[in-house]
Amino acid sequence: MVESEASEDRDFRLEARAWLKANFPASLTNVPGLLFQGDRHAAEANADYQLWRARMTDKGWGVPTWEPRYGGAGLSATQAKIIGEELTAIGGFNPIRSYGTMMLGPTLLEYGDEAQKLEHLPWIASHERRWCQGFSEPGAGSDLASLQMRCTDMGDHWLVSGQKIWTSGADQADWCFALVRTDTSRKQGGISFLLIDMQSEGIEARPIVLISGSTHFCEVFFNDVKVPKGNLVGQVNHGWSIAKRLLQFERNSLSEVKADITPLAPMAHDYLGTDALGRIDSPDLRARMVRNGMRHAAYMATVRRFAQEAKNGGPSHGVSTLKNLWSGIIQERGELLIELMGANGLGWSGDAYAEAEREATRAWLHSKAFSIYGGSYEVQNNITAKHTLGLPG
Amino acid sequence: MAVLNDEQQMLKDMAAEWVRDRMPITALRSLYDHGGGGRSDAIGYDPECWAEMAAMGWTGIIVPEAHGGSDFGYQSLGLILEELGRTLAASPLLSSALGAVTALRLGGDAVQQERWLPGLADGSAIGTIAFEEGAHFAPERIATSATLSGDQWIVNGRKHPVQDGMAANIFIASARTSGQPGDRDGLTLFVIDADAAGLTRDPLDQIDARRPAALTLKDVTIASDRVLGEVGKGADLIDAIVDRAAVGMAAEMLGASAQAFDTTMDYLKTRVQFGAIIGSFQALQHRAADLFGELQLTQSAVEDALIAIDDDAADISALASLAKATAGETLHRISAQMVQLHGGIGMTHEHDAGLYLKRARVAEQCYGSTAWHRDRWARLNGY
Ligand SMILES: Cc1cc2nc3c(=O)[nH]c(=O)nc-3n(C[C@H](O)[C@H](O)[C@H](O)COP(=O)(O)OP(=O)(O)OC[C@H]3O[C@@H](n4cnc5c(N)ncnc54)[C@H](O)[C@@H]3O)c2cc1C
């Protein structure tokens, strides 16, 4: 694919291709990996998924750039990228990908002490420890730093009390990385970053039903929860900079595109028909689909350009811009998909709607969250205006 | 708002009060199953509320006085539909008191009108139009066939989705008496009883919990005095009915847009982040101001179309498409922004934002999608 690839990279690509071909279970081809990432029960019930997870764990390729002692393979960023590309090429997915690999892992690598890394990273690298993100609270969403969950120093342990909300996967998580308040006299300067075992006494996670019908997130109550002293990452009251770094990792992973999205055109021809000139037989819908497709193509070019520039030491603060472009394009695509399905895109359940139709409807509903979580559309634009464009405010 | 006469103003106030009282948004919510979709035991409307609507005369608003109605006109009915739209009230009023009544008013002869209008006017009968046969609204692209056998018609085919089709006892259904799917020639309208032998109906579990029906017609025998209008020449009649139904839906969508907007404005005035009410952030103020502008366009387009229908103006089709497409675009945007501006809570089933979003997409498709009406407006205006 890349002509100018260095010969050692070329060799690695061939090696990766061969290994993936031999080890990726055929039954999982083109299955969305998110299915298992978000649903512990689906993951546990699927033997091929478990096999695939175990093989990738042994190889260390779920987190290829991590050191072997943390469960990785000690590979370069280029090699990691090659694995991703080869995986995509065979319709595969990374079975290790999780909040742990995308958010907490990279953060611990930078801010955790050696004991914390050794205790958690290998379990993340094998995807045997599921994590949830306990940041948002009822009164602290976009204004995350106003969070209130109390964490008191009891000498030999921390005592945590308060409430988190919108915590994705909290009911299925083994652990939670949370922001807590250790000092009430300062806003950002009173926040600490704490790792909490979800099995601890005093924690209750109540699932909340989403508009898509899924119970993807929870409200979580912490009632005098005891947490070991060693679970605080970095220094007391220094959690805000750790959180900001983690949010960068999160935004990065949200705008990171693993695979090309399926084009709408073939489906549109099926549902809307084809006119005498071979065009989708709805000029209005066609024009809007074309626009969406072109924006996506330009977006992919932008992702590649930003990556290239970053490698050459160029500008790297495009994350907010990318996240808004991506969520906008995907949300519009979701709208177009159910619109091209017409009445068939409006079903909730029942045989009158094909499975793909019902999935499209749910996916459209869920996509509305893309411009809310990981920093809302508005918050991202504020960041772009202030930090990228240098506008006052 | 167009200047309403006293009667219309009274009607609007009364409707607003009744809807607030009897069909608040919680009424729709009770039709939902846990987590979404319609409750399988729900019939899509509340018979008690329907009886009250009928008692207030809403079911007979466009029915001529001679047939038991008040003949107040489409504008008046539009005012009520708008108020019902505010709380997403699920009732067959649009399907029956507007759709079916319009079909009989425009297509029925004196005998047919006397036979069916009084029941529709007093709410003892519920009617609906059954023109669609697939994913996309295309009243000419139908395959349901009607063939003459002696002096009776034998009808075979499937009609779906049929709005309020599980509640209705009379269908105004289109069928092909000649020609091929796509032909304008050969379309005929029939009045079919829900209990006709050979007719079965199944509910469709839709995101808005309304549960429209899919009708299957298998050798349904229909007497020739149940043909509305001329055999084979139904296309223009269908267009005229669709125009009016689309405007009624646009009125409902205007109400839904207005309420989604109001609820969102309330939230912008109360939610605090960064030590300030979020409505004080200029980015959100501009969003609100933009949406307010869209609402103005929609209200004017809907009112003009309703007035045109009452005046029997020459450009009803263009105005109907303008109203439906404008309302579609506005509700599309406002319902999405309602979720967005509520943040996390807007994504929960417990909050109303999702209910507006779901109803919006159904309404956008109903009686011709936004795209369909844009295309038609384009054709009618020489684009
Ligand atoms: C599906 C989903 C999953 C989530 N998962 C998690 C999770 O795992 N862990 C976790 O901690 N959180 C999670 N969240 C929460 C998410 O991070 C918050 O919803 C988000 O930060 C917004 O906060 P809020 O909901 O309180 O909205 P608010 O902050 O109250 O925002 C309401 C509206 O005001 C706008 N707004 C706020 N401030 C400004 C401003 N200064 N200028 C302009 N507009 C502004 C917002 O953009 C939004 O439109 C999840 C959310 C969703 C929807």
Side-chain angles (χ1 to χ4, degrees):
Chain A
M1 63 176 300
V2 189
E3 309 296 341
S4 60
E5 203 163 67
S7 73
E8 65 267 27
D9 291 340
R10 182 72 204 155
D11 291 345
F12 181 76
R13 184 179 294 282
L14 295 176
E15 179 198 327
R17 190 174 295 167
W19 188 86
L20 292 171
K21 188 170 186 293
N23 288 282
F24 178 64
S27 72
L28 297 177
T29 310
N30 292 327
V31 172
L34 268 179
L35 200 76
F36 304 109
Q37 188 184 314
D39 187 342
R40 165 173 228 136
H41 310 296
E44 279 165 3
N46 189 309
D48 277 349
Y49 167 78
Q50 290 301 342
L51 178 69
W52 176 224
R53 189 186 59 72
R55 286 176 176 168
M56 283 288 272
T57 301
D58 290 346
K59 194 81 177 160
W61 279 10
V63 282
T65 60
W66 294 9
E67 293 300 317
R69 71 176 183 285
Y70 301 141
L75 298 177
S76 69
T78 310
Q79 289 171 319
K81 201 168 146 255
I82 289 173
I83 295 175
E85 287 166 1
E86 292 301 321
L87 202 46
T88 303
I90 58 168
F93 62 89
N94 180 352
I96 306 295
R97 187 179 147 100
S98 65
Y99 291 157
T101 64
M102 291 183 290
M103 295 189 241
L104 181 64
T107 308
L108 272 188
L109 281 169
E110 280 183 29
Y111 291 92
D113 60 31
E114 189 57 20
Q116 290 167 339
K117 291 183 200 172
L118 285 173
E119 179 181 349
H120 293 295
L121 294 179
W123 297 93
I124 292 173
S126 64
H127 201 3
E128 283 173 286
R129 194 169 282 172
R130 281 173 185 264
W131 286 84
C132 63
Q133 176 187 30
F135 282 17
S136 307
E137 296 179 7
S142 298
D143 181 16
L144 183 56
S146 67
L147 61 96
Q148 299 293 331
M149 187 156 95
R150 283 290 290 144
C151 174
T152 317
D153 189 345
M154 305 301 283
D156 62 344
H157 65 269
W158 302 105
L159 197 65
V160 176
S161 274
Q163 188 195 344
K164 293 291 174 184
I165 197 161
W166 322 132
T167 321
S168 300
D171 55 336
Q172 303 193 1
D174 304 299
W175 280 74
C176 174
F177 51 91
L179 294 181
V180 293
R181 183 152 297 288
T182 33
D183 185 341
T184 50
S185 67
R186 286 168 304 168
K187 194 174 176 181
Q188 280 86 353
I191 293 172
S192 297
F193 192 102
L194 196 65
L195 308 178
I196 305 176
D197 185 342
M198 290 296 281
Q199 298 303 316
S200 316
E201 214 166 301
I203 301 181
E204 190 197 346
R206 292 187 202 149
I208 302 174
V209 183
L210 281 165
I211 57 176
S212 61
S214 106
T215 49
H216 163 88
F217 60 23
C218 298
E219 48 183 344
V220 189
F221 299 89
F222 295 80
N223 191 5
D224 285 342
V225 177
K226 283 187 186 172
V227 179
K229 274 316 238 307
N231 288 16
L232 194 137
V233 179
Q235 282 173 286
V236 178
N237 293 333
H238 283 66
W240 184 244
S241 25
I242 306 178
K244 280 203 300 196
R245 186 75 181 128
L246 185 140
L247 289 173
Q248 273 182 352
F249 291 129
E250 176 178 10
R251 278 161 205 174
N252 222 354
S253 70
L254 289 175
S255 55
E256 197 172 69
V257 206
K258 291 291 173 202
D260 259 316
I261 49 179
T262 7
L264 294 174
M267 275 178 285
H269 280 286
D270 285 352
Y271 279 91
L272 293 154
T274 305
D275 74 8
L277 293 172
R279 299 174 299 199
I280 293 158
D281 198 6
S282 167
D284 181 88
L285 196 43
R286 175 175 180 267
R288 287 180 287 130
M289 285 190 284
V290 169
R291 180 173 182 275
N292 186 253
M294 291 176 80
R295 285 174 66 76
H296 179 253
Y299 173 81
M300 296 300 287
T302 307
V303 171
R304 288 192 295 271
R305 178 168 65 82
F306 279 19
Q308 201 60 43
E309 285 173 2
K311 218 161 63 187
N312 302 338
S316 65
H317 37 222
V319 174
S320 293
T321 306
L322 284 182
K323 190 198 172 235
N324 276 359
L325 287 169
W326 176 243
S327 60
I329 291 165
I330 289 299
Q331 286 176 338
E332 184 60 24
R333 183 183 180 278
E335 292 281 5
L336 290 166
L337 179 55
I338 62 155
E339 189 178 338
L340 76 83
M341 290 175 169
N344 289 42
L346 302 171
W348 186 262
S349 73
D351 297 342
Y353 307 99
E355 193 182 336
E357 291 168 343
R358 278 181 271 125
E359 270 171 19
T361 309
R362 309 272 178 129
W364 155 69
L365 287 165
H366 189 74
S367 76
K368 295 296 174 216
F370 298 168
S371 52
I372 295 172
Y373 63 46
S376 71
Y377 170 84
E378 290 76 14
V379 165
Q380 304 293 353
N381 271 349
N382 286 344
I383 294 172
T384 300
K386 211 162 114 185
H387 297 292
T388 308
L389 306 177
L391 293 168
Chain B
M1 170 176 318
V3 182
L4 301 180
N5 64 34
D6 288 348
E7 259 168 6
Q8 288 168 334
Q9 188 59 52
M10 253 174 60
L11 190 68
K12 185 176 165 66
D13 294 344
M14 188 171 100
E17 198 186 317
W18 184 86
V19 169
R20 242 194 333 267
D21 216 37
R22 296 288 289 132
M23 296 200 80
I25 184 91
T26 46
L28 171 73
R29 189 172 283 286
S30 69
L31 300 181
Y32 270 95
D33 211 342
H34 170 78
R39 258 185 27 224
S40 55
D41 58 340
I43 43 172
Y45 81 112
D46 174 352
E48 258 179 58
C49 284
W50 179 248
E52 286 175 39
M53 286 184 190
M56 290 183 289
W58 294 0
T59 42
I61 286 197
I62 59 167
V63 176
E65 286 176 23
H67 300 298
S70 61
D71 212 1
F72 270 7
Y74 285 81
Q75 226 194 325
S76 299
L77 186 50
L79 293 172
I80 294 171
L81 290 168
E82 181 184 337
E83 293 306 323
L84 289 167
R86 278 192 166 264
T87 61
L88 309 179
S91 90
L93 196 72
L94 173 55
S95 296
S96 188
L98 196 152
V101 169
T102 296
L104 283 157
R105 265 181 60 147
L106 300 180
D109 60 30
V111 177
Q112 292 170 326
Q113 292 188 348
E114 188 43 38
R115 181 165 170 196
W116 285 298
L117 281 177
L120 293 171
D122 69 18
S124 57
I126 294 176
T128 188
I129 55 182
F131 295 171
E132 299 188 53
E133 295 188 7
H136 289 279
F137 185 79
E140 291 119 24
R141 245 180 255 167
I142 62 161
T144 294
S145 66
T147 43
L148 205 52
S149 155
D151 62 349
Q152 300 204 318
W153 294 92
I154 313 290
V155 180
N156 280 289
R158 272 173 61 76
K159 311 295 291 186
H160 60 97
V162 179
Q163 307 304 320
D164 301 297
M166 298 309 291
N169 32 44
I170 301 168
F171 299 104
I172 314 288
S174 56
R176 195 160 272 299
T177 40
S178 64
Q180 298 298 318
D183 292 351
R184 272 182 77 78
D185 251 2
L187 297 174
T188 306
L189 287 186
F190 295 89
V191 184
I192 306 179
D193 288 339
D195 58 10
L199 185 152
T200 50
R201 51 180 160 179
D202 298 297
L204 297 168
D205 186 17
Q206 220 170 241
I207 49 175
D208 64 348
R210 291 291 202 291
R211 297 171 75 80
L215 305 189
T216 307
L217 300 141
K218 198 163 181 319
D219 294 332
V220 176
T221 310
I222 295 166
S224 54
D225 63 356
R226 285 171 167 261
V227 171
L228 283 192
E230 239 183 289
V231 171
K233 298 266 170 278
D236 290 345
L237 177 56
I238 290 173
D239 283 350
I241 299 167
V242 167
D243 284 343
R244 287 153 183 79
V247 173
M249 182 54 92
E252 185 191 313
M253 292 162 84
L254 169 63
S257 302
Q259 187 59 52
F261 182 78
D262 290 351
T263 303
T264 306
M265 286 311 104
D266 286 346
Y267 195 67
L268 293 190
K269 288 173 190 166
T270 47
R271 172 69 171 167
V272 173
Q273 286 288 273
F274 303 102
I277 286 173
I278 60 173
S280 68
F281 302 135
Q282 225 160 47
L284 302 193
Q285 293 180 342
H286 286 194
R287 189 91 39 87
D290 281 346
L291 295 177
F292 181 72
E294 301 300 312
L295 263 180
Q296 303 317 306
L297 297 182
T298 304
Q299 188 173 338
S300 324
V302 169
E303 283 176 6
D304 275 10
L306 287 165
I307 292 168
I309 296 172
D310 281 334
D311 291 351
D312 208 9
D315 53 353
I316 290 175
S317 291
L319 287 170
S321 281
L322 180 67
K324 181 66 176 29
T326 307
E329 210 172 304
T330 299
L331 184 56
H332 188 93
R333 276 184 68 185
I334 290 188
S335 58
Q337 284 300 323
M338 185 181 193
V339 174
Q340 176 66 21
L341 295 177
H342 279 83
I345 196 151
M347 283 298 295
T348 65
H349 181 58
E350 205 179 319
H351 193 271
D352 294 341
L355 305 185
Y356 282 86
L357 182 69
K358 290 168 180 172
R359 177 60 183 163
R361 295 304 174 274
V362 173
E364 285 169 41
Q365 293 283 342
C366 203
Y367 306 133
S369 68
T370 306
W372 190 89
H373 282 286
R374 262 194 221 121
D375 280 343
R376 195 175 72 148
W377 191 89
R379 261 182 282 118
L380 292 169
N381 286 281
Y383 281 83

